[in-house]
């Protein structure tokens, strides 16, 4: 019997040593075509149709999911509550994950029951022989005898054998509790040879034959002699075991159906797709994925995750995007988290390919999804991680095409990040773009730009940005930005420059600084000896209706201020005709406490009569004279 031509085609590509095969290849392989441009498939299948677009989903594997699942099923929760927690943590339950969670729940039978039952009700295909044996070991080792034997019966009907690990754990408990009949019953399972009929054992036998030599009549003969009854799980297991030899797996896949030994279903198709989801089989992968859909089957989320992970790992970003498009065109659409994950991988690729970015966004939005701030924020973090934040304008424009309009909070955050990273041109472009969107809070964006430049220590850029802000938004709207700028100038010991800027803006642009800005700037200017500038600020505070800030003036005068300077300050404090007596008292107290009696007398001589004759003022000087006289007497004695 001569092998079918399609198997020959695979063999000729797979084995150059196939010298005994002399049948000419029916199709030239020198110029392989991408599946999207094929009019006919490589292996004929009447249900095959040209590439369209299909299902799938993405999720990076995370060992923390084991911990999360353990916690979820350790509590008594309803199915809806469990589903909500799984979705919120973006957890996909796979064969491997089931086994690892059960392994962790070995000493918690109640939690293990809940988990095993939940998976069984919603996706029994995810419960492999390995998972059944873990559950069996948990029941046996925890003394759940009746449940143990019930599960053994279920496994027998499924063709699963009891593995040594589960048997040993159960035997230890049975023997310890003196359950003689159960011990004998478990031993009889092995004596009957039921383990030899397990799916794993049969899989091993089939794989041994397939791997033994180059596919041909002898291999097919040996497979028939095994007299195997192929189930979906067995076929999937064989294909997975042959994963390192994808061409042999594909030949086996075709042979069992063509030989009428098995009619492929969704499980076996998915297993074959997972095997082909690798760099050296990508063309076959796309053909098989499309054939699967043409046959009416969907790609499982588990398959999508595994294949996408391989594509991303191998930097096959274009194929990863095509896979996402394929998935969004099917019934099992990827989640929002999947979209964000993929888009982040696209933007950190070696070169930013905006065509791929647009394809992902278009597939996402055409699938009925809406772009949100959190999606964009995650992508911007990825851009920042590879030093490409300046490219954010391109991403935002692509998002805009998908109907996205960033919130004022996100706009402010982006503005700050751009300016704090010194991306001046990109920051200006960003502002222009945002103004084109239209916003009632553009002043917040400008303030964030000023803040970013201040944080970066780029005061010239901060000032330039602030002046543009004043021109566009008006003086009364920029109080917060003024404070940021004043703080930055003061931190650079440039309080005088900041004071001049503020005074000019007040006079020319009707700037209205906050009270805290006035107080900070006044203190810093006086430290640098700028009484005249501080007095100008004092006058502006009065005009804006803020109470005067006396402390820094009093401190300055007590240490270095002259009587004339004190008089200027007191005149600046005038509300109607003269300042309150309390202010005079504080100034005199400060002079006398600092021991500057001469300046106190000089100031007193320049004061109006009602101040010189005021009882509180007279008391201050009388006390000062009495203390001085007492000190002189003590010295003389």
């Amino acid at each position: 019997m001569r092998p079918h031509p399609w198997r020959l085609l695979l063999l000729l590509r797979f084995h150059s040593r196939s010298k005994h095969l002399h049948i000419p290849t029916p199709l030239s392989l020198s110029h392989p075509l991408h599946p999207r441009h094929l009019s006919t498939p490589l292996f004929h299948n009447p249900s095959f149709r040209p590439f369209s677009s299909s299902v799938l989903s993405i999720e990076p594997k995370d060992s923390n999911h084991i911990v999360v699942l353990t916690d979820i099923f350790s509590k008594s929760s309803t199915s809806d509550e469990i589903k909500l927690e799984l979705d919120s943590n973006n957890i996909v339950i796979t064969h491997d994950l089931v086994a690892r969670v059960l392994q962790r729940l070995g000493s918690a039978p109640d939690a293990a029951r809940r988990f095993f039952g939940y998976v069984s009700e919603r996706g029994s295909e995810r419960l492999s022989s390995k998972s059944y044996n873990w559950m069996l070991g948990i029941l046996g080792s925890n003394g759940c005898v009746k449940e143990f034997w019930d599960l053994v019966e279920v496994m027998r009907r499924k063709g699963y054998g009891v593995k040594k690990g589960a048997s040993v754990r159960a035997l230890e408990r049975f023997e310890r509790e003196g359950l003689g009949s159960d011990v004998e019953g478990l031993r009889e399972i092995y004596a009957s040879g039921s383990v030899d009929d397990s799916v794993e054992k049969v899989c091993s036998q089939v794989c041994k034959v397939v791997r033994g030599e180059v596919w041909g009549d002898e291999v097919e003969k040996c497979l028939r002699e095994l007299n195997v009854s192929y189930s979906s799980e067995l076929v999937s297991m064989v294909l997975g075991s042959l994963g390192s030899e994808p061409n042999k797996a594909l030949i086996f896949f075709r042979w069992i159906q063509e030989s009428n030994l098995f009619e492929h279903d969704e499980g076996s198709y998915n297993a074959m797709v997972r095997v082909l989801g690798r760099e050296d089989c990508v063309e076959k992968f796309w053909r098989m994925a499309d054939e699967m859909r043409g046959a009416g089957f969907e790609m499982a989320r588990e398959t999508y995750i595994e294949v996408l992970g391989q594509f991303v790992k191998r930097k096959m970003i274009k194929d990863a995007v095509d896979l996402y498009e394929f998935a969004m065109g099917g019934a099992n659409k990827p989640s929002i988290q999947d979209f964000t994950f993929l888009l982040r991988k696209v933007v950190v690729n070696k070169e930013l390919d905006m065509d791929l970015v647009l394809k992902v966004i278009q597939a996402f939005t055409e699938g009925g999804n809406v772009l949100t701030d959190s999606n964009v924020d995650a992508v911007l973090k990825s851009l920042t991680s590879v030093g490409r934040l300046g490219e954010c304008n391109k991403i935002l424009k692509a998002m805009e095409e998908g109907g996205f309009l960033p919130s004022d909070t996100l706009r402010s955050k982006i503005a700050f990040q751009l300016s704090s990273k010194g991306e001046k041109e990109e920051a200006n472009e960003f502002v222009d773009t945002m103004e084109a969107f239209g916003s009632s809070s553009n002043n917040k964006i400008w303030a964030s730009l000023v803040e970013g430049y201040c944080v970066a220590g780029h005061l010239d850029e901060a000032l330039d940005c602030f002046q543009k802000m004043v021109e566009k938004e008006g003086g009364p709207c920029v109080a917060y930005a003024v404070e940021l700028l004043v703080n930055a100038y003061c931190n650079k010991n440039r309080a005088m420059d900041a004071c001049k800027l503020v005074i000019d803006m007040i006079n020319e642009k009707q700037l209205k600084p906050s009270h805290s800005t006035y107080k900070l700037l006044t203190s810093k200017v006086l430290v640098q000896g700028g009484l005249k500038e501080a007095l100008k600020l004092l006058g502006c505070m009065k005009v804006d209706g803020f109470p005067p800030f006396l402390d820094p003036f009093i401190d300055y005068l007590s240490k270095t201020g002259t009587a004339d300077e004190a008089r200027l300050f007191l005149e600046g404090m005038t509300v109607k005709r003269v300042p309150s007596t309390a202010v005079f008292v504080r100034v005199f107290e400060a002079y006398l406490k600092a021991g500057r009696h001469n300046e106190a007398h000089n100031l007193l001589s320049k004061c109006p009569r009602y101040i010189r004759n005021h009882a509180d003022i007279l008391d201050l000087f009388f006390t000062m004279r009495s203390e001085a006289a007492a000190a002189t007497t003590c010295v003389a004695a």
Side-chain angles (χ1 to χ4, degrees):
M1 175 180 175
R2 291 159 64 91
H4 192 280
W6 58 255
R7 287 202 291 278
L8 271 175
L9 181 58
L10 266 181
L11 290 167
L12 288 171
R13 297 188 73 179
F14 181 67
H15 264 295
S16 60
R17 67 175 189 269
S18 305
K19 300 173 184 175
H20 58 286
L21 297 175
H22 299 295
I23 299 175
T25 174
L27 177 65
S28 172
L29 303 177
S30 58
H31 300 289
L33 297 174
H34 193 280
R36 290 159 200 226
H37 305 296
L38 290 176
S39 57
T40 57
L42 180 60
F43 307 133
H44 178 69
N45 185 313
S47 64
F48 178 85
R49 60 192 177 84
F51 176 82
S52 57
S53 176
S54 181
V55 190
L56 308 163
S57 231
I58 128 189
E59 173 175 42
K61 297 193 176 183
D62 187 353
S63 60
N64 288 334
H65 288 172
I66 298 173
V67 178
V68 174
L69 283 168
T70 301
D71 180 63
I72 290 173
F73 288 94
S74 294
K75 302 174 291 187
S76 294
S77 304
T78 66
S79 295
D80 289 341
E81 289 171 338
I82 291 171
K83 186 177 185 307
L84 184 63
E85 288 203 61
L86 294 177
D87 291 343
S88 65
N89 287 281
N90 199 28
I91 294 177
V92 179
I93 297 178
T94 63
H95 290 98
D96 181 61
L97 190 56
V98 171
R100 291 167 69 191
V101 171
L102 289 173
Q103 183 178 2
R104 188 181 181 94
L105 293 172
S107 60
D110 290 340
R113 283 191 199 94
R114 283 192 286 269
F115 177 62
F116 191 85
Y118 182 87
V119 176
S120 178
E121 290 172 8
R122 284 156 185 78
S124 58
E125 72 279 358
R126 299 181 199 136
L127 293 175
S128 62
S129 173
K130 182 179 180 181
S131 298
Y132 271 96
N133 271 278
W134 271 112
M135 190 66 220
L136 193 66
I138 292 171
L139 294 172
S141 63
N142 285 278
C144 307
V145 180
K146 183 180 184 306
E147 291 176 83
F148 175 87
W149 289 113
D150 289 345
L151 190 59
V152 168
E153 177 60 23
V154 172
M155 292 170 65
R156 186 191 65 75
R157 291 197 299 269
K158 287 181 171 289
Y160 297 155
V162 178
K163 292 185 178 180
K164 183 177 180 180
S167 175
V168 168
R169 294 176 68 192
L171 278 171
E172 289 177 353
R173 182 64 181 255
F174 292 172
E175 289 174 346
R176 189 164 65 247
E177 295 191 0
L179 303 174
S181 60
D182 294 294
V183 170
E184 289 303 315
L186 188 51
R187 285 175 175 163
E188 285 176 9
I189 291 178
Y190 287 95
S192 67
S194 67
V195 175
D196 293 333
D197 297 328
S198 69
V199 175
E200 291 90 343
K201 191 72 173 179
V202 176
C203 172
S204 177
Q205 292 170 346
V206 172
C207 290
K208 185 176 181 180
V209 172
V210 175
R211 288 195 181 103
E213 57 183 287
V214 176
W215 191 283
D217 292 346
E218 190 61 30
V219 170
E220 294 180 5
K221 177 185 176 185
C222 290
L223 288 173
R224 286 194 177 89
E225 288 175 351
L226 289 176
N227 196 27
V228 172
S229 176
Y230 289 101
S231 65
S232 180
E233 181 174 11
L234 175 58
V235 172
S236 299
M237 190 178 293
V238 170
L239 293 173
S241 297
L242 293 172
S244 60
E245 300 177 84
N247 287 293
K248 283 194 172 184
L250 185 53
I251 293 172
F252 173 77
F253 179 89
R254 296 299 187 195
W255 175 77
I256 55 171
Q257 182 158 19
E258 191 177 80
S259 302
N260 296 318
L261 295 174
F262 178 74
E263 185 69 28
H264 285 301
D265 60 9
E266 192 162 290
S268 60
Y269 263 112
N270 272 276
M272 191 67 248
V273 168
R274 285 196 294 273
V275 169
L276 295 175
R278 44 191 280 173
E279 191 171 9
D280 56 347
C281 297
V282 68
E283 293 177 8
K284 297 187 183 95
F285 164 80
W286 286 115
R287 292 184 180 105
M288 182 59 65
D290 207 44
E291 179 183 324
M292 177 173 66
R293 174 165 291 170
F297 302 122
E298 294 290 357
M299 188 176 287
R301 180 171 171 80
E302 180 180 350
T303 302
Y304 177 74
I305 292 167
E306 184 174 325
V307 174
L308 185 67
Q310 286 296 320
F311 286 171
V312 170
K313 182 179 179 181
R314 298 291 182 183
K315 307 298 182 186
M316 299 166 63
I317 302 301
K318 184 180 183 304
D319 284 292
V321 172
D322 288 342
L323 185 59
Y324 182 76
E325 269 193 317
F326 187 80
M328 290 301 294
N332 304 325
K333 299 184 189 303
S335 69
I336 293 174
Q337 291 88 345
D338 298 341
F339 160 75
T340 305
F341 171 81
L342 180 59
L343 195 54
R344 291 178 68 175
K345 294 300 180 183
V346 172
V347 301
V348 299
N349 199 25
K350 190 174 181 180
E351 292 184 6
L352 180 59
D353 188 328
M354 287 307 301
D355 287 338
L356 295 183
V357 171
L358 287 166
K359 284 179 73 174
V360 175
I361 293 172
Q362 185 175 1
F364 179 73
T365 54
E366 289 181 353
N369 299 299
V370 177
L371 294 162
T372 65
D373 279 9
S374 61
N375 301 141
V376 181
D377 192 37
V379 173
L380 294 180
K381 286 178 181 177
S382 294
L383 280 174
T384 303
S385 70
V386 292
R388 287 185 188 163
L389 183 61
E391 310 249 31
C392 75
N393 288 306
K394 296 178 183 177
I395 302 297
L396 288 170
K397 287 175 182 175
M399 295 281 195
E400 181 191 2
E401 291 183 23
F404 174 68
L405 186 64
S407 68
D408 290 337
T409 299
L410 181 60
R411 296 179 187 192
S412 297
K413 183 174 182 178
I414 297 171
F416 173 78
Q417 290 178 337
L418 286 170
S419 56
S420 64
K421 299 292 183 184
E423 305 278 2
K424 185 176 180 180
E425 291 184 9
E426 290 76 9
N428 291 336
E429 182 185 350
F430 171 74
V431 172
D432 293 340
T433 302
M434 292 303 102
E435 288 183 336
F437 281 155
S439 171
S440 60
S441 302
N442 281 332
N443 59 310
K444 293 182 180 178
I445 299 175
W446 283 103
S448 296
L449 286 172
V450 172
E451 183 177 10
Y453 285 130
C454 288
V455 167
H458 301 156
L459 295 189
D460 290 343
E461 286 81 359
L463 176 58
D464 181 58
C465 185
F466 174 74
Q467 290 172 333
K468 288 180 181 177
M469 178 184 183
V470 172
E471 291 295 330
K472 290 178 177 289
E473 304 297 324
C477 302
V478 297
Y480 177 61
V482 174
E483 187 159 355
L484 294 170
L485 198 59
V486 167
N487 265 298
Y489 268 81
C490 291
N491 288 337
K492 294 285 187 179
N493 293 320
R494 295 179 59 185
M496 294 298 188
D497 293 335
C499 182
K500 183 179 185 307
L501 168 67
V502 169
I503 297 296
D504 289 346
M505 285 289 182
I506 290 172
N507 294 333
E508 298 172 10
K509 303 295 182 181
Q510 292 75 53
L511 182 71
K512 292 185 180 299
S514 66
H515 194 201
S516 58
T517 301
Y518 275 124
K519 291 166 72 173
L520 170 68
L521 194 51
T522 298
S523 298
K524 296 294 185 180
V525 165
L526 285 169
V527 167
Q528 295 184 8
L531 179 64
K532 187 182 296 184
E533 289 77 7
L535 289 173
K536 290 180 182 178
L537 292 170
L538 182 61
C540 293
M541 288 177 72
K542 287 164 54 179
V543 172
D544 285 343
F546 293 121
F549 186 41
L550 303 182
D551 292 346
F553 285 100
I554 301 298
D555 186 58
Y556 169 81
L557 293 171
S558 69
K559 293 176 181 177
T560 60
T562 65
D564 287 336
E565 288 179 324
R567 184 172 55 80
L568 288 173
F569 162 66
L570 292 166
E571 289 173 355
M573 284 293 300
T574 301
V575 176
K576 293 182 179 178
R577 189 166 59 87
V578 289
S580 69
T581 306
V583 178
F584 279 95
V585 171
R586 284 195 62 183
V587 173
F588 283 121
E589 281 180 338
Y591 271 135
L592 295 174
K593 188 174 181 180
R596 302 186 66 199
H597 297 173
N598 289 338
E599 291 300 334
H601 282 288
N602 287 341
L603 177 59
L604 185 62
S605 67
K606 300 175 186 293
C607 290
R609 184 185 300 273
Y610 83 95
I611 292 295
R612 293 199 303 271
N613 295 330
H614 195 281
D616 291 339
I617 304 295
L618 293 174
D619 283 346
L620 278 176
F621 281 89
F622 177 77
T623 302
M624 178 266 292
R625 290 194 189 96
S626 298
E627 290 174 354
T632 303
T633 301
C634 289
V635 171

